[in-house]
Amino acid sequence: MQSDRQSLTVYFDGACPLCQAEINHYRRQEGAGAIHFLDVSRSEGTLAADLTKQQAMKRFHVRCNDGSLLSGAAAFVAVWSTLPRWRRAARMAALPGILAILEVAYQLFLPVRPTLSKLFRRLRRIRQRRQEAL
């Protein structure tokens, strides 16, 4: 559960190498202490009355401090709003029509995510083997 210091809970698929890389990037950002990152691939069943593990594995979700649940582009914007270096992107997303465009882009990305994840995993293994050979 969130502490008073944490304003968001981010639900992410830690089994997805793309997702893991993105979350690791966010974790290194100034302000990340205000975010609780929850790897749903390691969780059991229902995460909350309004969010199951299956739902959280399929799509990016964020629980705000007020209890509201956001998903997709709106969830990313909530994270960006919390991280000082990303606040400009959050402000741009607040411009008329931009959030809708981001949501369409996210929905187009979701079906290709498994293929991109496999490719990312394969490239990471190749790079690791090269480093081990040096």
Side-chain angles (χ1 to χ4, degrees):
M1 211 69 219
Q2 291 177 213
S3 74
D4 291 338
R5 191 172 151 253
Q6 295 172 324
S7 62
L8 298 177
T9 297
V10 169
Y11 301 94
F12 72 98
D13 178 1
C16 166
L18 286 174
C19 305
Q20 187 66 49
E22 181 172 20
I23 294 303
N24 287 341
H25 172 76
Y26 291 145
R27 281 182 168 144
R28 291 188 301 269
Q29 300 298 305
E30 177 187 346
I35 303 172
H36 172 68
F37 297 95
L38 180 64
D39 179 355
V40 297
S41 69
R42 297 175 184 249
S43 299
E44 299 286 329
T46 301
L47 302 169
D50 58 350
L51 183 64
T52 65
K53 178 179 178 176
Q54 183 180 17
Q55 291 169 322
M57 292 287 285
K58 287 183 179 180
R59 191 172 163 86
F60 188 70
H61 289 79
V62 167
R63 172 92 50 208
C64 298
N65 206 28
D66 67 2
S68 61
L69 184 66
L70 303 172
S71 70
F76 283 101
V77 173
V79 171
W80 300 343
S81 295
T82 304
L83 302 172
R85 289 188 176 169
W86 284 85
R87 287 193 182 129
R88 180 174 282 149
R91 284 192 301 271
M92 289 177 18
L95 294 172
I98 300 299
L99 186 60
I101 292 168
L102 291 172
E103 181 60 32
V104 168
Y106 183 66
Q107 288 181 18
L108 292 172
F109 164 77
L110 287 175
V112 297
R113 184 182 85 152
T115 303
L116 291 174
S117 290
K118 287 177 188 174
L119 179 62
F120 189 80
R121 188 177 285 122
R122 193 172 298 145
L123 290 172
R124 199 168 55 186
R125 278 194 301 254
I126 290 168
R127 185 173 19 161
Q128 194 173 30
R129 286 182 194 137
R130 285 183 182 166
Q131 289 175 347
E132 289 171 357
L134 295 178

